[in-house]
Amino acid sequence: MEDLKEVLLDATREAGKIILHHFNGVFKIAHKDGINNLVTEVDKLAENRIIEVIRASFPSHSIISEEVGELLQKSDYQWIIDPIDGTVNFAHAIPLCCVSIGLMHKGELMLGAVYNPMMNELFFAEKGKGATLNGEPIKVSHKSNFKTAFLVTGFPYNWPDSSQHPIKVFERFVLEGLPVRRLGSAAIDLCWVACGRFDGFWEYNLQPWDVAAGYLIVLEAGGRITDFEGGQYDVFTKETLATNGLIHNNMLDLIKKQA
């Protein structure tokens, strides 16, 4: 596990150097499935470096990454990579973006790292050993009064095929008088729940590379993650609700509330 941890952190930091070097610079930007769903040449540079570091030590491991897709092999180990989570922020020189790398073994997340090099914040978790920010232990908030909760969310580029429209759900929280932020990076949202800056986060239609590392970091910081029915969560679930645990049911009630 120590070798795996070392490689994960090395890959995370190497990608962070690339992001920081190009931040607020000039680079090529392309569009994916939607005019505002961006990818930059820096995403690809960072992704290539991450894969290079992993393959140098573990050439037989499988990889799922946002830009290259699935590089599957017959292995119990699977690296789940987002070279830049928050690419739209990055492309507009907003320093709320990060590298996100999770390591899964036989379907279970074992390691996760999220690194925002512009803010020099490295979140890390190892299953069963807690979560840290720059090496110091972190915990979710202790807030139990939902009326004073501080929340964060995001909106999908394409609306999900759901009777619970994201804007309608968002409106319910706002009408409760709750402060809700939208940062533009699900990985950072999850980590900021984990360290107690936010009390809860919800979003539709996230991809595994958006949530893999942050999911483990939240759990190891004492938080709770489910789908929007309160059911068991995994990184391939399209509904993500992460909280300090104390306001989880309050958030579920609002999300599931019938119009």
Side-chain angles (χ1 to χ4, degrees):
M1 186 60 70
E2 285 303 310
D3 289 343
L4 292 164
K5 177 179 175 180
E6 183 178 346
V7 168
L8 179 138
L9 291 174
D10 187 24
T12 302
R13 291 190 178 105
E14 286 292 301
K17 290 177 186 176
I18 292 170
I19 294 170
L20 188 59
H21 176 75
H22 290 277
F23 184 72
N24 207 18
V26 178
F27 42 79
K28 294 178 182 178
I29 301 174
H31 302 273
K32 296 194 283 188
D33 56 340
I35 192 169
N36 290 311
N37 193 1
L38 307 181
V39 60
T40 73
E41 63 180 316
V42 185
D43 289 79
K44 296 176 181 179
L45 288 170
E47 182 178 67
N48 289 342
R49 183 58 182 142
I50 292 167
I51 293 172
E52 182 179 61
V53 171
I54 292 169
R55 285 280 164 85
S57 296
F58 304 108
S60 65
H61 287 189
S62 290
I63 288 172
I64 297 178
S65 191
E66 180 172 15
E67 308 308 334
V68 301
E70 296 184 347
L71 305 175
L72 300 180
Q73 303 196 62
K74 291 183 178 179
S75 173
D76 291 333
Y77 290 93
Q78 191 172 62
W79 298 78
I80 305 177
I81 301 163
D82 194 340
I84 305 180
D85 186 59
T87 297
V88 175
N89 284 351
F90 177 77
H92 292 84
I94 295 172
L96 292 173
C97 43
C98 61
V99 186
S100 177
I101 307 176
L103 176 61
M104 189 174 285
H105 179 246
K106 295 184 177 180
E108 187 173 16
L109 273 162
M110 305 301 294
L111 298 172
V114 172
Y115 180 37
N116 179 347
M118 281 67 69
M119 297 181 69
N120 191 29
E121 291 194 336
L122 174 58
F123 293 87
F124 172 77
E126 180 177 348
K127 183 175 173 57
K129 295 192 175 182
T132 60
L133 167 55
N134 293 340
E136 296 297 321
I138 56 173
K139 291 291 183 183
V140 295
S141 72
H142 298 293
K143 188 175 292 181
S144 58
N145 183 357
F146 182 60
K147 292 182 179 179
T148 62
F150 188 36
L151 307 177
V152 64
T153 190
F155 299 112
Y157 293 111
N158 298 307
W159 297 122
D161 182 15
S162 170
S163 60
Q164 299 289 64
H165 195 285
I167 290 294
K168 292 180 179 178
V169 174
F170 174 74
E171 183 181 48
R172 292 174 199 156
F173 285 97
V174 173
L175 289 175
E176 290 288 320
L178 295 168
V180 182
R181 302 293 180 259
R182 193 225 193 277
L183 303 185
S185 167
I188 289 177
D189 293 338
L190 288 165
C191 288
W192 286 17
V193 170
C195 70
R197 294 173 184 169
F198 290 118
D199 305 306
F201 161 72
W202 84 98
E203 189 167 347
Y204 295 81
N205 277 13
L206 292 171
Q207 300 297 329
W209 47 79
D210 297 318
V211 297
Y215 162 63
L216 182 63
I217 291 166
V218 168
L219 288 184
E220 289 297 321
R224 181 183 175 192
I225 302 187
T226 69
D227 63 19
F228 292 164
E229 295 295 325
Q232 186 172 352
Y233 183 82
D234 66 54
V235 299
F236 299 98
T237 299
K238 293 297 184 181
E239 300 172 345
T240 305
L241 173 61
T243 74
N244 62 6
L246 301 174
I247 64 165
H248 204 90
N249 289 337
N250 300 96
M251 292 190 69
L252 279 174
D253 288 344
L254 272 186
I255 291 171
K256 293 189 296 181
K257 183 179 178 180
Q258 297 299 314

